[in-house]
Amino acid sequence: MPPSDADLVARVIADDDRRAFAELVRRHQSAVRGLLRRLGAGDAALADDLAQETFLRAYRGLSGWRGSARLATWLYRIAWNLWASQARRPADPEPTEPEPPRPAADVAIDRHDLERALGALRAEERTALALAYGQDLTHEEAARILDWPVGTLKTHILRGKERLRRLLSAEAEGTP
Amino acid sequence: MNATGPDPVEEALMRVPYVDDAGFTDRVMARLPPSRRRLRVAILIASGAAAAAVAALVLPGAAATLAAALAGLQVATLAAWAVPLGLAATALLLGEMVSVGWE
């Protein structure tokens, strides 16, 4: 049976066990990089830079992980803080508002279309959707990571999904 | 998490593709600060060498014997000192490396 995250963390803290830390990185790299790619609307290079910094900060602050939350949740919080810090530098452009009908229900959405549409959302909406979907987090966990009230998170999720529907259906209509 | 039935947007949002490691872990490990284990080994070796030097100077007769042996180039005397000292130093070094878990 593979060691738990808590066992690996204990080995890193007690003995600076680099193999244990490498195993933690391997386990969580996809989730952290996936989240950052969503937040960055598909910018893989930026996401990977921030993901590296996330794990370096995690290494330095590993003794601060209490074990009450899942390690993944703690890593997401570091990743989100890094993302928010760098996103504050340039202003987030106001998204355009196409006027659109609802999308056809039977059309599967391409990943690149989704990333493009996510990029057109407001930062709060994109963040809420990135954390609430596909990361195995409850709304309460996602809200804690963001330091938002749960109600605020849910509002941004609803608005984000509605705007995504409009953007994707407008895009589908524009496709020959 | 989804209160309503699945729709294309929600389904797409739920599909987060696996990101292949592709050297990512190695890049993170390369950026970590120097290992505390290696630092501890370096400190132990340095302190061991310093202690041996102090002992050679302080212990009565040790420095004089060594100096006399060197001055006279008495190979047999030097060898008599060098072999047990070398063995002791090697044993000490190996013990230190094992105790700190040399990578």
Side-chain angles (χ1 to χ4, degrees):
Chain A
M1 196 170 130
S4 68
D5 284 353
D7 291 338
L8 292 170
V9 168
R11 279 160 51 184
V12 177
I13 292 172
D15 206 23
D16 193 20
D17 186 333
R18 298 293 169 103
R19 288 194 190 94
F21 189 71
E23 176 60 24
L24 287 171
V25 177
R26 263 189 293 276
R27 276 185 195 180
H28 295 285
Q29 60 87 20
S30 175
V32 170
R33 292 162 81 193
L35 172 67
L36 287 163
R37 285 180 187 196
R38 279 265 166 101
L39 289 170
D43 187 340
L46 175 63
D48 281 8
D49 284 349
L50 291 174
Q52 277 193 37
E53 192 57 36
T54 298
F55 284 106
L56 292 174
R57 286 199 184 186
Y59 174 80
R60 288 195 291 267
L62 211 49
S63 55
W65 178 59
R66 299 289 173 217
S68 52
R70 287 180 302 143
L71 185 70
T73 310
W74 185 69
L75 290 169
Y76 289 152
R77 190 178 175 87
I78 298 173
W80 155 248
N81 284 333
L82 282 167
W83 168 259
S85 300
Q86 75 79 35
R88 263 180 234 122
R89 287 174 216 151
D92 217 322
E94 274 300 302
T96 51
E97 284 266 6
E99 245 349 281
R102 301 184 67 82
D106 57 348
V107 176
I109 297 167
D110 177 77
R111 179 168 66 88
H112 299 292
D113 292 342
L114 179 70
E115 285 173 351
R116 213 170 20 248
L118 280 168
L121 298 184
R122 291 198 170 91
E124 300 83 9
E125 294 162 353
R126 188 167 63 246
T127 300
L129 292 175
L131 277 158
Y133 287 93
Q135 308 296 340
D136 197 25
L137 293 171
T138 63
H139 284 169
E140 286 73 20
E141 286 172 324
R144 261 199 304 277
I145 287 170
L146 298 166
D147 264 338
W148 292 354
V150 177
T152 304
L153 175 80
K154 288 181 176 175
T155 302
H156 286 311
I157 290 172
L158 283 175
R159 287 182 184 161
K161 278 197 301 188
E162 191 52 41
R163 208 183 300 267
L164 262 188
R165 281 194 191 96
R166 290 202 297 263
L167 287 165
L168 288 165
S169 65
E171 195 165 278
E173 285 187 351
T175 308
Chain B
M1 176 168 297
N2 302 331
T4 58
D7 69 32
V9 170
E10 286 199 343
E11 285 182 347
L13 285 168
M14 291 299 289
R15 282 196 303 268
V16 179
Y18 179 80
V19 183
D20 190 60
D21 188 278
F24 177 83
T25 299
D26 292 340
R27 290 194 291 278
V28 170
M29 298 309 290
R31 287 185 59 192
L32 292 183
S35 166
R36 292 200 306 267
R37 286 182 179 186
R38 293 182 183 206
L39 189 63
R40 274 186 289 175
V41 170
I43 290 171
L44 281 170
I45 290 172
S47 58
V54 169
L57 290 173
V58 170
L59 288 177
T65 306
L66 193 59
L70 286 171
L73 285 176
Q74 297 166 1
V75 177
T77 309
L78 278 174
W81 276 86
V83 171
L85 279 175
L87 286 173
T90 306
L92 186 65
L93 188 61
L94 287 174
E96 288 173 347
M97 287 164 68
V98 168
S99 71
V100 298
W102 185 260
E103 289 174 322

